[in-house]
Amino acid sequence: VHLVCRNRRREAEVERHGALTIHRMSPLPGVLRGLDGILSFPAFFNPRWLTLVVRTFRSNNVDVLVCRDLPLAPLALFASRLLGKPLVVDVAEHYPALLSDLYNRHDFRIQNLLVRNPVFASILERVTLPSADLNWVVVEEMAQRLQSMGVAPARTVIVGNTPTPARVERLKGLPQVHEQHSLLRLVYLGIVEWSR
């Protein structure tokens, strides 16, 4: 697995952890250092991202590209077609709706017209997702939404992130471990914030 990332903390550009290799963007030097955050923003029109993705793709003979961030999906589609490799887009959320909520909950900022614009996000989805070789979604409703946008049903796979009721029932039969004086329950929701 080759993970392509920003590098706002100026860490090593290549870092290996077993079967995982992290490829970070080269930090800008000297006087440009202050612009690094802006110039490494993950957007499809950012030439630094295109260079990093294509270089990583080519030098590691990658078989398939998985794009997790909608703003980079058009760039990932271009790179996958340029190199003749398939693209999977991980559609983890209804991104335009999330951005609409941001507009409703936060003060307006001028940069939101470009980088967090729900209209642009909808356009990115309509341009990219029907052309991707495969789209991963987490629920049936999102699969139906993609189909309404023109994504062929064969190009959408549901990869659920919650256990099914049958799996929960099977777990009820397993022996439980309890300490006499307390019971600890853990629930993980990912990033816990207003939007979730």
Side-chain angles (χ1 to χ4, degrees), residues 131-179:
S131 299
D133 297 286
L134 196 62
N135 295 282
W136 290 336
V137 298
V138 294
V139 292
E140 178 63 36
E141 292 83 357
M142 184 60 82
Q144 292 169 359
R145 181 175 167 271
L146 265 57
Q147 288 175 24
S148 74
M149 293 175 7
V151 177
R155 291 181 181 240
T156 303
V157 173
I158 298 172
V159 180
N161 61 0
T162 57
T164 63
R167 184 171 173 207
V168 171
E169 284 299 316
R170 285 194 308 269
L171 292 174
K172 286 181 180 178
L174 296 176
Q176 301 295 314
V177 177
H178 301 286
E179 292 188 23

Short mmCIF file of all heavy atoms in Angstrom, two decimals, residues 131-179:
data_model
loop_
_atom_site.label_atom_id
_atom_site.label_comp_id
_atom_site.label_asym_id
_atom_site.label_seq_id
_atom_site.Cartn_x
_atom_site.Cartn_y
_atom_site.Cartn_z
N SER A 131 -17.36 8.25 -14.00
CA SER A 131 -16.20 7.81 -14.79
C SER A 131 -15.24 6.92 -14.02
O SER A 131 -14.38 6.28 -14.62
CB SER A 131 -15.43 9.04 -15.28
OG SER A 131 -16.26 9.83 -16.11
N ALA A 132 -15.37 6.88 -12.69
CA ALA A 132 -14.49 6.02 -11.89
C ALA A 132 -14.80 4.56 -12.21
O ALA A 132 -15.93 4.21 -12.56
CB ALA A 132 -14.70 6.29 -10.40
N ASP A 133 -13.79 3.72 -12.11
CA ASP A 133 -14.00 2.30 -12.37
C ASP A 133 -14.86 1.65 -11.29
O ASP A 133 -15.59 0.69 -11.57
CB ASP A 133 -12.64 1.60 -12.46
CG ASP A 133 -11.84 2.14 -13.64
OD1 ASP A 133 -12.18 1.81 -14.78
OD2 ASP A 133 -10.92 2.95 -13.41
N LEU A 134 -14.77 2.17 -10.06
CA LEU A 134 -15.55 1.64 -8.96
C LEU A 134 -15.71 2.73 -7.90
O LEU A 134 -14.81 3.54 -7.70
CB LEU A 134 -14.85 0.42 -8.34
CG LEU A 134 -15.67 -0.48 -7.43
CD1 LEU A 134 -16.84 -1.11 -8.18
CD2 LEU A 134 -14.79 -1.56 -6.85
N ASN A 135 -16.88 2.75 -7.25
CA ASN A 135 -17.15 3.67 -6.15
C ASN A 135 -17.55 2.86 -4.93
O ASN A 135 -18.46 2.03 -5.00
CB ASN A 135 -18.29 4.63 -6.51
CG ASN A 135 -17.93 5.54 -7.65
OD1 ASN A 135 -17.22 6.51 -7.48
ND2 ASN A 135 -18.41 5.21 -8.85
N TRP A 136 -16.87 3.09 -3.82
CA TRP A 136 -17.24 2.45 -2.56
C TRP A 136 -18.17 3.38 -1.80
O TRP A 136 -17.87 4.56 -1.61
CB TRP A 136 -16.01 2.19 -1.69
CG TRP A 136 -15.08 1.15 -2.18
CD1 TRP A 136 -15.36 0.11 -3.02
CD2 TRP A 136 -13.69 1.03 -1.86
NE1 TRP A 136 -14.23 -0.64 -3.24
CE2 TRP A 136 -13.19 -0.10 -2.54
CE3 TRP A 136 -12.82 1.76 -1.06
CZ2 TRP A 136 -11.88 -0.51 -2.44
CZ3 TRP A 136 -11.52 1.36 -0.96
CH2 TRP A 136 -11.04 0.23 -1.64
N VAL A 137 -19.30 2.85 -1.35
CA VAL A 137 -20.23 3.62 -0.52
C VAL A 137 -20.50 2.80 0.74
O VAL A 137 -20.26 1.59 0.77
CB VAL A 137 -21.55 3.93 -1.26
CG1 VAL A 137 -21.29 4.80 -2.48
CG2 VAL A 137 -22.29 2.66 -1.65
N VAL A 138 -21.04 3.44 1.79
CA VAL A 138 -21.25 2.71 3.04
C VAL A 138 -22.69 2.27 3.26
O VAL A 138 -22.94 1.40 4.08
CB VAL A 138 -20.76 3.52 4.27
CG1 VAL A 138 -19.27 3.71 4.23
CG2 VAL A 138 -21.48 4.83 4.38
N VAL A 139 -23.65 2.86 2.53
CA VAL A 139 -25.05 2.48 2.71
C VAL A 139 -25.77 2.42 1.37
O VAL A 139 -25.35 3.05 0.39
CB VAL A 139 -25.80 3.45 3.64
CG1 VAL A 139 -25.29 3.36 5.08
CG2 VAL A 139 -25.71 4.87 3.15
N GLU A 140 -26.87 1.68 1.35
CA GLU A 140 -27.67 1.52 0.14
C GLU A 140 -28.19 2.86 -0.38
O GLU A 140 -28.25 3.09 -1.59
CB GLU A 140 -28.85 0.58 0.42
CG GLU A 140 -29.80 0.38 -0.74
CD GLU A 140 -29.15 -0.30 -1.95
OE1 GLU A 140 -28.29 -1.18 -1.75
OE2 GLU A 140 -29.50 0.06 -3.09
N GLU A 141 -28.56 3.76 0.53
CA GLU A 141 -29.07 5.07 0.11
C GLU A 141 -28.05 5.84 -0.71
O GLU A 141 -28.41 6.54 -1.66
CB GLU A 141 -29.49 5.89 1.34
CG GLU A 141 -30.69 5.35 2.08
CD GLU A 141 -30.36 4.24 3.08
OE1 GLU A 141 -29.17 3.82 3.16
OE2 GLU A 141 -31.28 3.78 3.78
N MET A 142 -26.78 5.73 -0.37
CA MET A 142 -25.75 6.42 -1.15
C MET A 142 -25.59 5.75 -2.52
O MET A 142 -25.37 6.43 -3.53
CB MET A 142 -24.42 6.45 -0.41
CG MET A 142 -23.34 7.24 -1.14
SD MET A 142 -23.73 8.98 -1.41
CE MET A 142 -23.28 9.66 0.16
N ALA A 143 -25.69 4.43 -2.57
CA ALA A 143 -25.64 3.74 -3.86
C ALA A 143 -26.77 4.22 -4.76
O ALA A 143 -26.56 4.49 -5.96
CB ALA A 143 -25.71 2.23 -3.65
N GLN A 144 -27.96 4.37 -4.21
CA GLN A 144 -29.10 4.87 -4.99
C GLN A 144 -28.88 6.32 -5.43
O GLN A 144 -29.21 6.68 -6.55
CB GLN A 144 -30.38 4.76 -4.16
CG GLN A 144 -30.80 3.33 -3.91
CD GLN A 144 -31.90 3.22 -2.87
OE1 GLN A 144 -32.36 4.20 -2.30
NE2 GLN A 144 -32.33 1.99 -2.61
N ARG A 145 -28.30 7.12 -4.55
CA ARG A 145 -28.00 8.51 -4.90
C ARG A 145 -27.03 8.57 -6.08
O ARG A 145 -27.22 9.35 -7.02
CB ARG A 145 -27.43 9.24 -3.68
CG ARG A 145 -27.10 10.68 -3.93
CD ARG A 145 -26.65 11.39 -2.65
NE ARG A 145 -26.08 12.66 -3.01
CZ ARG A 145 -24.81 12.87 -3.31
NH1 ARG A 145 -23.93 11.90 -3.25
NH2 ARG A 145 -24.39 14.06 -3.67
N LEU A 146 -25.98 7.74 -6.05
CA LEU A 146 -25.02 7.72 -7.15
C LEU A 146 -25.68 7.27 -8.45
O LEU A 146 -25.41 7.81 -9.52
CB LEU A 146 -23.83 6.82 -6.81
CG LEU A 146 -22.60 7.52 -6.21
CD1 LEU A 146 -22.94 8.29 -4.95
CD2 LEU A 146 -21.50 6.54 -5.97
N GLN A 147 -26.56 6.28 -8.35
CA GLN A 147 -27.27 5.83 -9.55
C GLN A 147 -28.13 6.95 -10.13
O GLN A 147 -28.23 7.10 -11.35
CB GLN A 147 -28.12 4.60 -9.24
CG GLN A 147 -27.27 3.36 -9.01
CD GLN A 147 -28.10 2.16 -8.58
OE1 GLN A 147 -29.28 2.09 -8.86
NE2 GLN A 147 -27.46 1.22 -7.91
N SER A 148 -28.74 7.77 -9.26
CA SER A 148 -29.55 8.89 -9.75
C SER A 148 -28.69 9.94 -10.45
O SER A 148 -29.20 10.74 -11.23
CB SER A 148 -30.34 9.52 -8.60
OG SER A 148 -29.48 10.28 -7.78
N MET A 149 -27.37 9.93 -10.18
CA MET A 149 -26.43 10.85 -10.83
C MET A 149 -25.86 10.25 -12.11
O MET A 149 -25.03 10.87 -12.76
CB MET A 149 -25.27 11.18 -9.88
CG MET A 149 -25.68 11.98 -8.69
SD MET A 149 -24.37 12.29 -7.45
CE MET A 149 -22.88 11.69 -8.16
N GLY A 150 -26.25 9.03 -12.44
CA GLY A 150 -25.76 8.42 -13.67
C GLY A 150 -24.65 7.41 -13.48
O GLY A 150 -24.07 6.93 -14.46
N VAL A 151 -24.32 7.05 -12.24
CA VAL A 151 -23.31 6.03 -12.00
C VAL A 151 -23.95 4.66 -12.24
O VAL A 151 -24.99 4.35 -11.67
CB VAL A 151 -22.75 6.12 -10.56
CG1 VAL A 151 -21.77 5.00 -10.29
CG2 VAL A 151 -22.11 7.48 -10.33
N ALA A 152 -23.33 3.86 -13.09
CA ALA A 152 -23.85 2.52 -13.37
C ALA A 152 -23.84 1.68 -12.10
O ALA A 152 -22.88 1.72 -11.34
CB ALA A 152 -23.01 1.85 -14.45
N PRO A 153 -24.91 0.90 -11.84
CA PRO A 153 -24.95 0.07 -10.64
C PRO A 153 -23.74 -0.85 -10.50
O PRO A 153 -23.27 -1.09 -9.38
CB PRO A 153 -26.23 -0.75 -10.82
CG PRO A 153 -27.09 0.09 -11.70
CD PRO A 153 -26.15 0.81 -12.63
N ALA A 154 -23.19 -1.32 -11.61
CA ALA A 154 -22.02 -2.20 -11.56
C ALA A 154 -20.76 -1.48 -11.09
O ALA A 154 -19.77 -2.12 -10.73
CB ALA A 154 -21.77 -2.83 -12.93
N ARG A 155 -20.80 -0.15 -11.06
CA ARG A 155 -19.64 0.63 -10.63
C ARG A 155 -19.76 1.10 -9.18
O ARG A 155 -19.02 1.98 -8.75
CB ARG A 155 -19.44 1.83 -11.55
CG ARG A 155 -18.99 1.43 -12.94
CD ARG A 155 -18.78 2.65 -13.80
NE ARG A 155 -18.37 2.25 -15.14
CZ ARG A 155 -17.23 2.61 -15.69
NH1 ARG A 155 -16.38 3.37 -15.05
NH2 ARG A 155 -16.93 2.21 -16.90
N THR A 156 -20.69 0.53 -8.44
CA THR A 156 -20.88 0.91 -7.04
C THR A 156 -20.93 -0.35 -6.18
O THR A 156 -21.65 -1.30 -6.50
CB THR A 156 -22.20 1.69 -6.86
OG1 THR A 156 -22.17 2.83 -7.71
CG2 THR A 156 -22.38 2.14 -5.42
N VAL A 157 -20.15 -0.34 -5.10
CA VAL A 157 -20.12 -1.47 -4.16
C VAL A 157 -20.33 -0.91 -2.76
O VAL A 157 -19.70 0.08 -2.38
CB VAL A 157 -18.77 -2.22 -4.22
CG1 VAL A 157 -18.67 -3.26 -3.13
CG2 VAL A 157 -18.57 -2.84 -5.59
N ILE A 158 -21.23 -1.55 -2.02
CA ILE A 158 -21.46 -1.12 -0.64
C ILE A 158 -20.45 -1.81 0.26
O ILE A 158 -20.36 -3.04 0.29
CB ILE A 158 -22.90 -1.47 -0.19
CG1 ILE A 158 -23.91 -0.72 -1.06
CG2 ILE A 158 -23.09 -1.13 1.30
CD1 ILE A 158 -25.34 -1.12 -0.84
N VAL A 159 -19.66 -1.00 0.95
CA VAL A 159 -18.70 -1.49 1.94
C VAL A 159 -19.17 -0.91 3.27
O VAL A 159 -18.79 0.20 3.64
CB VAL A 159 -17.26 -1.05 1.60
CG1 VAL A 159 -16.28 -1.58 2.64
CG2 VAL A 159 -16.87 -1.50 0.20
N GLY A 160 -20.02 -1.65 3.96
CA GLY A 160 -20.62 -1.14 5.19
C GLY A 160 -19.60 -0.93 6.29
O GLY A 160 -18.61 -1.65 6.38
N ASN A 161 -19.87 0.06 7.13
CA ASN A 161 -18.97 0.31 8.25
C ASN A 161 -19.64 0.06 9.60
O ASN A 161 -19.17 0.51 10.62
CB ASN A 161 -18.39 1.72 8.18
CG ASN A 161 -19.46 2.80 8.26
OD1 ASN A 161 -20.65 2.51 8.37
ND2 ASN A 161 -19.03 4.04 8.20
N THR A 162 -20.76 -0.63 9.57
CA THR A 162 -21.43 -1.01 10.81
C THR A 162 -21.77 -2.49 10.75
O THR A 162 -21.99 -3.05 9.68
CB THR A 162 -22.74 -0.22 11.02
OG1 THR A 162 -23.59 -0.43 9.89
CG2 THR A 162 -22.47 1.26 11.18
N PRO A 163 -21.83 -3.17 11.90
CA PRO A 163 -22.17 -4.59 11.89
C PRO A 163 -23.64 -4.80 11.54
O PRO A 163 -24.49 -3.97 11.85
CB PRO A 163 -21.88 -5.04 13.33
CG PRO A 163 -21.94 -3.79 14.14
CD PRO A 163 -21.54 -2.67 13.23
N THR A 164 -23.91 -5.91 10.88
CA THR A 164 -25.29 -6.26 10.54
C THR A 164 -26.00 -6.78 11.79
O THR A 164 -25.36 -7.26 12.73
CB THR A 164 -25.32 -7.35 9.45
OG1 THR A 164 -24.70 -8.52 10.00
CG2 THR A 164 -24.59 -6.90 8.20
N PRO A 165 -27.34 -6.75 11.82
CA PRO A 165 -28.07 -7.31 12.97
C PRO A 165 -27.72 -8.78 13.22
O PRO A 165 -27.62 -9.21 14.36
CB PRO A 165 -29.54 -7.13 12.58
CG PRO A 165 -29.54 -5.95 11.64
CD PRO A 165 -28.25 -6.07 10.88
N ALA A 166 -27.50 -9.56 12.15
CA ALA A 166 -27.15 -10.98 12.32
C ALA A 166 -25.81 -11.12 13.04
O ALA A 166 -25.64 -12.00 13.90
CB ALA A 166 -27.09 -11.68 10.97
N ARG A 167 -24.86 -10.26 12.73
CA ARG A 167 -23.56 -10.33 13.39
C ARG A 167 -23.68 -9.97 14.87
O ARG A 167 -23.04 -10.58 15.72
CB ARG A 167 -22.57 -9.39 12.69
CG ARG A 167 -21.19 -9.47 13.24
CD ARG A 167 -20.22 -8.70 12.38
NE ARG A 167 -18.92 -8.65 13.03
CZ ARG A 167 -18.03 -7.70 12.84
NH1 ARG A 167 -18.29 -6.74 12.00
NH2 ARG A 167 -16.90 -7.72 13.48
N VAL A 168 -24.50 -8.98 15.18
CA VAL A 168 -24.71 -8.61 16.58
C VAL A 168 -25.33 -9.78 17.34
O VAL A 168 -24.94 -10.08 18.47
CB VAL A 168 -25.58 -7.34 16.68
CG1 VAL A 168 -25.98 -7.06 18.13
CG2 VAL A 168 -24.85 -6.15 16.09
N GLU A 169 -26.28 -10.47 16.72
CA GLU A 169 -26.92 -11.62 17.37
C GLU A 169 -25.90 -12.72 17.66
O GLU A 169 -25.93 -13.34 18.71
CB GLU A 169 -28.06 -12.17 16.50
CG GLU A 169 -29.32 -11.33 16.54
CD GLU A 169 -29.91 -11.22 17.95
OE1 GLU A 169 -29.98 -12.23 18.67
OE2 GLU A 169 -30.27 -10.08 18.32
N ARG A 170 -24.98 -12.98 16.71
CA ARG A 170 -23.96 -14.00 16.93
C ARG A 170 -23.05 -13.64 18.10
O ARG A 170 -22.61 -14.49 18.85
CB ARG A 170 -23.12 -14.20 15.66
CG ARG A 170 -23.82 -14.97 14.56
CD ARG A 170 -22.84 -15.43 13.48
NE ARG A 170 -22.01 -14.37 12.96
CZ ARG A 170 -22.30 -13.60 11.90
NH1 ARG A 170 -23.43 -13.79 11.26
NH2 ARG A 170 -21.47 -12.67 11.50
N LEU A 171 -22.77 -12.35 18.25
CA LEU A 171 -21.90 -11.91 19.33
C LEU A 171 -22.54 -12.08 20.70
O LEU A 171 -21.84 -12.23 21.70
CB LEU A 171 -21.49 -10.44 19.13
CG LEU A 171 -20.58 -10.16 17.94
CD1 LEU A 171 -20.37 -8.67 17.79
CD2 LEU A 171 -19.24 -10.86 18.10
N LYS A 172 -23.86 -12.07 20.76
CA LYS A 172 -24.55 -12.22 22.05
C LYS A 172 -24.26 -13.57 22.70
O LYS A 172 -24.30 -13.69 23.90
CB LYS A 172 -26.06 -12.05 21.88
CG LYS A 172 -26.47 -10.61 21.66
CD LYS A 172 -27.97 -10.51 21.53
CE LYS A 172 -28.40 -9.07 21.29
NZ LYS A 172 -29.85 -8.97 21.10
N GLY A 173 -23.96 -14.59 21.88
CA GLY A 173 -23.70 -15.92 22.41
C GLY A 173 -22.29 -16.12 22.93
O GLY A 173 -21.99 -17.14 23.55
N LEU A 174 -21.40 -15.15 22.71
CA LEU A 174 -20.02 -15.29 23.16
C LEU A 174 -19.91 -15.02 24.65
O LEU A 174 -20.66 -14.22 25.21
CB LEU A 174 -19.11 -14.33 22.39
CG LEU A 174 -19.01 -14.56 20.89
CD1 LEU A 174 -18.16 -13.47 20.26
CD2 LEU A 174 -18.42 -15.92 20.59
N PRO A 175 -18.97 -15.68 25.32
CA PRO A 175 -18.80 -15.42 26.75
C PRO A 175 -18.38 -13.96 26.98
O PRO A 175 -17.59 -13.40 26.24
CB PRO A 175 -17.68 -16.37 27.18
CG PRO A 175 -17.21 -17.06 25.97
CD PRO A 175 -18.05 -16.67 24.80
N GLN A 176 -18.95 -13.38 28.02
CA GLN A 176 -18.65 -11.99 28.36
C GLN A 176 -17.61 -11.95 29.48
O GLN A 176 -17.63 -12.76 30.39
CB GLN A 176 -19.92 -11.26 28.82
CG GLN A 176 -21.02 -11.26 27.76
CD GLN A 176 -20.62 -10.49 26.53
OE1 GLN A 176 -20.10 -9.39 26.63
NE2 GLN A 176 -20.87 -11.06 25.36
N VAL A 177 -16.72 -10.98 29.42
CA VAL A 177 -15.70 -10.81 30.45
C VAL A 177 -16.04 -9.53 31.21
O VAL A 177 -16.10 -8.45 30.64
CB VAL A 177 -14.29 -10.70 29.83
CG1 VAL A 177 -13.27 -10.44 30.91
CG2 VAL A 177 -13.97 -11.95 29.05
N HIS A 178 -16.33 -9.68 32.49
CA HIS A 178 -16.66 -8.53 33.33
C HIS A 178 -15.81 -8.57 34.58
O HIS A 178 -15.62 -9.62 35.18
CB HIS A 178 -18.14 -8.57 33.76
CG HIS A 178 -19.10 -8.56 32.61
ND1 HIS A 178 -19.34 -7.44 31.87
CD2 HIS A 178 -19.88 -9.53 32.08
CE1 HIS A 178 -20.24 -7.72 30.93
NE2 HIS A 178 -20.57 -8.99 31.05
N GLU A 179 -15.36 -7.42 34.98
CA GLU A 179 -14.74 -7.34 36.30
C GLU A 179 -15.86 -7.13 37.31
O GLU A 179 -16.91 -6.58 36.99
CB GLU A 179 -13.75 -6.16 36.35
CG GLU A 179 -12.54 -6.38 35.47
CD GLU A 179 -11.50 -5.30 35.68
OE1 GLU A 179 -11.50 -4.67 36.75
OE2 GLU A 179 -10.69 -5.11 34.76
#
